[in-house]
Amino acid sequence: MADNFNFELVSPERLLLSEQVSEVVIPATEGEMTVMANHAPTMTTIKPGVVTVKLASGQVSKYVVFGGFADVLPTGCTLLAESAVPLSEISPDTLTKRIDEARKDLEGVEHHEHRTKLEQYLAELTNLNGVLVAA
């Protein structure tokens, strides 16, 4: 049986989850990452994607995040999301609106580095939209 640890998912609007969990899969910028008890200390950035949480009870919950940071310690993990909602509350219209806003932000951007970051964000949102539509 896996050890449990404390996981908190926080957005600027609210605390979405603070529970004992057995594992969490987060969309880290460098790739999907599974966090379990006694994980090596790590801090990583989060890209738009789905966070899958397996509660100590065995129940699985999913949340959609739109960027942020995760702080992982052997005793717990805190994910500070730029924006997050339970998967059940996300609609195709919400993602389409974010994709349209990202496209508008790209118009007229001249600074190469800023343009690259916006293009990457748009690609991640588009990928997330494809994943959620397929699910």
Side-chain angles (χ1 to χ4, degrees), residues 11-84:
S11 75
E13 299 85 28
R14 61 184 167 158
L15 173 66
L16 284 108
L17 184 69
S18 181
E19 294 281 336
Q20 287 290 307
V21 302
S22 59
E23 71 180 63
V24 178
V25 179
I26 58 176
T29 306
E30 298 298 318
E32 225 172 57
M33 177 178 173
T34 301
V35 178
M36 299 179 82
N38 304 311
H39 195 286
T42 306
M43 183 168 270
T44 186
T45 53
I46 302 298
K47 66 182 180 181
V50 177
V51 175
T52 304
V53 181
K54 186 173 183 182
L55 300 172
S57 66
Q59 180 185 350
V60 175
S61 337
K62 294 186 179 192
Y63 300 85
V64 177
V65 295
F66 296 97
F69 295 90
D71 185 20
V72 181
L73 298 170
T75 57
C77 176
T78 301
L79 195 156
L80 303 171
E82 290 174 16
S83 178

Side-chain angles (χ1 to χ4, degrees), residues 2 18 22 42-43 61 71 79 89 95 105 108 117-118 120 124 131 134:
S18 181
S22 59
T42 306
M43 183 168 270
S61 337
D71 185 20
L79 195 156
E89 292 179 18
L95 279 176
D105 289 345
K117 287 182 181 181
L118 282 173
Q120 179 65 34
E124 291 165 350
V131 167

Side-chain angles (χ1 to χ4, degrees), residues 103-120:
R103 285 188 178 130
K104 284 181 188 174
D105 289 345
L106 265 173
E107 293 174 10
V109 172
E110 294 181 19
H111 192 270
H112 178 69
E113 187 175 319
H114 189 176
R115 175 174 282 285
T116 301
K117 287 182 181 181
L118 282 173
E119 288 171 343
Q120 179 65 34

